[in-house]
Amino acid sequence: MPTPPPESAAPGNSRVPGMVLKAFFPTCCASADSGLLVGRWVPEQTSAVVLAVVHFPFIPIQVKELLARVQQASQVGVAVLGTWCHRRQDAEESLGHFLEGLGAIFSHEPWLQLCRERGSKFWSCKATRRQAPTCPGAPGEDQVMLVFYDQRKVLLSQLHPPVALPDHQAGDAVAGAGGLAAVFDTVARSEELFRSDRFDEGPVRLSHWQSEGVEASILAELAKRASGPICLLLGGLLSLVSAASACRVFQLWPLSFIWSKLSTCEQLRHRLEQLTFVFSTQKAENPTQLMRKANVLVSVFLDVALGLALLSWLHGKDRIGHLAEALVPVADHVAEELQHLLQWLMGAPAGLKMNRALDQVLGRFFLYHLHLWISYIHLMSPFIERILWHVGLSACLGLTVSLSILSDIIALLTFHIYCFYVYGARLYCLKICGLSSLWRLFRGKKWNVLRQRVDSCSYDLDQLFIGTLLFTILLFLLPTTALYYLVFTLLRLLVVAVQGLIHVLVDLINSLPLYSLGLRLCRPYRLAAGVKFRVLEHEADRPLRLLMQLWLPPHPLLGLPVPQAFLWGAHLPLEAERGQAGLTDPGHRPARHRHTATVSPPPCRGR
Amino acid sequence: MEDEQSFSDICGGRLALQRRYYSPSCREFCISCPRLSLRSLTAVTCTVWLAAYGLFTLCENSIILSAAIFITLLGLLGYLHFVKIDQETLLIIDSLGIQMTSSYASGKESTTFIEMGKVKDVIINEGIYMKVIYYLCILLKDPVEPHGISQVVPVFQSAKPRLDCLIEVYRSCQEVLAHQEATSASP
């Protein structure tokens, strides 16, 4: 096994392995002129985070004043860490001596000296400790490891921990967040230092990521100024609307029952909640909440845009008239098909022999029901166009509202199928209850209600006789009822499937995190959840150079947020570590569509 | 300083282990898996196309042939981009952390970085998988309980090297971790 290269040891020194000092250096300063290194020293990590370079000429007093100001404003212990020497011409020895003399004016422990030769990729770094080491073996000079980082991306990616509470000291908050988070925290909180650029007339000339010009956008500033009053106004309007909808009139029984059944009301309520959340006057506490608000806003905009497109399409070229004209014939056609189905059931469906009398009774009952329904539709036909026109106007509230209204219209138009299903299910349920109870009687047992179990029981002869008779009758009538139940359940399932599809689409529009997806495409560093390192070209006896880059979580191939209707309240987390928000909370809207899609027969207790 | 040695994985394929010592506190281990073999690629393609031709003679629909070509191409691209891992790298930097990179045949790289503060130890563990295999894994500290382990992160999962290769990597990692312990202990 090859041995690692021997460490360079100062002669005459028996040393323990030297501590490695990490220097985080911004990539924007790598080509800056010589000067002083300004930043923060984190003793727990033995790392020096360089934030900016102060160029010549400067007056030491003014530099110290600037640092004190920054320290006061940002609670970050900014200090002069060392010197930076960029040798553009050969033989600048005087500069070297001058820089060494600066160590006497700004004392810092340890004192960092970074030097870059012209035309060379490799740097030379020295870190000296002036104080006498407490333990005899510790060296006076440390090894330095350079880690380059992109200041702009680190600042904008918000990898730092959330803002510390005002009653915590600056040191407390950082000690809690270990490791690299301390580095990000330092960079993020030193905004004061990055405010001045090279066009400012200040006494001190700095080099950092904003030294070519402070980044700002007029639109962003305007939006920030305008957001306050707009939020107030809209928040007030929304609270009025929610107060109006919560008034006592709507809590009365028939209305509240109808509201709970219609999916349109559900969708409107959901939108109202979302908009109240977005336009609340509270500022977002952390980037997660901000992302959530942005996602909701973008999805509302998209919804309204799609709704307006649908509106313009519907109201052009008299499409509503065509729709209304087509509706009644379609309903008639459906009713005719149902009639054929019932005639088929009344005959010998699929070769099965049904009980003639029961068949005729059930068939005629359902046919009469159907006839009533058709008359009702024909009664409504003159008003349908007006109704459709007004309903079409609702598309300006959003495409989701229109889809919910469509789903409700389907539910209303197929109400007769729902009724048939309920009749069939009740009849079947009654039959099964009766059969199970009489089956127990047949075997000489009885259901004990007190103890909730089956007990043996001795019946009289006439009880047994009548019970067996009834049992036989019910058993032979079972196929007929079962067939009707099966057919109508399948029809109902079909309608529920169509409605479910519409609800899936509505949920997709509601919960797709478009803002996060857009960020992923345009500004991926905003969604960074960690860092990764790359070792740059290395030469023996030179300090190790690493490049720290932002790391995005792996692209989720199948991880798109599946709408709630599919997952019954569960939700798939997209990012493992940093909970990128854009998805609604798991507990936020549980089981939204349960009540509109009841398929199971009403429960009946066996006796 | 670079060094290359060849080992074999648990199925008998050849692996190449490249070691780079950048400094006493930073080392990199790179295991390269065997490349996609032309033989297996040809075999799969021939099977798919023979099946498609068989279906074509049954159905007389030429869409089947185009679909077979499409499927083969998409399948190959998907396999190269999502499944076939060419190289697995372990970079251990004393006082920063441990980074694992997998590079796929299409050039995609997926990286995981674990900070040194979370790393408890690097060990070789045994697993029973139709036979006994050994794998290198990183133990993470439990934030709540100081002596507990919160997670076990296996390394070199698709290369699956044998014990001799793992021992080399393990020794180097332990040297770096010991170095880190010594330097963090001294003031």
Side-chain angles (χ1 to χ4, degrees), chain A residues 33 225 290 381 421 432 469 517 553 556:
Chain A
D33 290 332
R225 296 292 163 94
L290 192 68
S381 57
Y421 161 71
I432 293 291
L469 208 62
L517 286 175

Side-chain angles (χ1 to χ4, degrees), chain B residues 88-113:
Chain B
E88 285 194 299
T89 313
L90 181 75
L91 174 69
I92 176 163
I93 307 171
D94 161 24
S95 79
L96 264 184
I98 304 182
Q99 174 169 293
M100 295 160 305
T101 314
S102 310
S103 14
Y104 291 81
S106 63
K108 175 172 99 153
E109 276 188 9
S110 96
T111 324
T112 318
F113 177 72

Side-chain angles (χ1 to χ4, degrees), chain A residues 1-5 7 17-20 22 24 134-135 145 147 178-181 531-533 535 538 544 546 551 557, chain B residues 1 3 19 21-27 82 91 93-96 99 111-113 115 168 171 175 179 182-183 186-187:
Chain A
M1 189 182 86
T3 51
E7 299 156 9
M19 294 200 58
V20 177
K22 297 184 290 252
F24 288 89
T134 45
C135 66
M145 182 161 68
V147 182
L180 292 166
V531 287
K532 59 181 179 185
F533 292 89
V535 182
H538 182 245
L544 184 65
L546 297 164
W551 174 77
L557 189 59
Chain B
M1 192 182 120
D3 174 72
R19 276 177 293 192
Y21 290 119
Y22 294 115
S23 82
S25 58
C26 176
R27 296 185 194 180
F82 295 112
L91 174 69
I93 307 171
D94 161 24
S95 79
L96 264 184
Q99 174 169 293
T111 324
T112 318
F113 177 72
E115 283 192 49
E168 300 289 335
R171 278 209 194 111
E175 274 172 23
H179 182 265
T183 52
S186 63

Side-chain angles (χ1 to χ4, degrees), chain A residues 190-249:
Chain A
S190 322
E191 293 249 11
E192 184 67 31
L193 192 65
F194 302 136
R195 287 248 172 90
S196 62
D197 56 14
R198 69 187 170 98
F199 303 106
D200 274 350
E201 300 288 331
V204 180
R205 198 163 64 95
L206 289 169
S207 238
H208 47 73
W209 68 285
Q210 278 192 329
S211 54
E212 295 299 317
V214 175
E215 274 191 14
S217 149
I218 292 183
L219 288 173
E221 292 298 313
L222 276 176
K224 268 191 222 165
R225 296 292 163 94
S227 66
I230 287 182
C231 279
L232 270 174
L233 184 67
L234 286 171
L237 276 173
L238 287 169
S239 59
L240 267 176
V241 172
S242 7
S245 68
C247 79
R248 292 292 298 276
V249 174

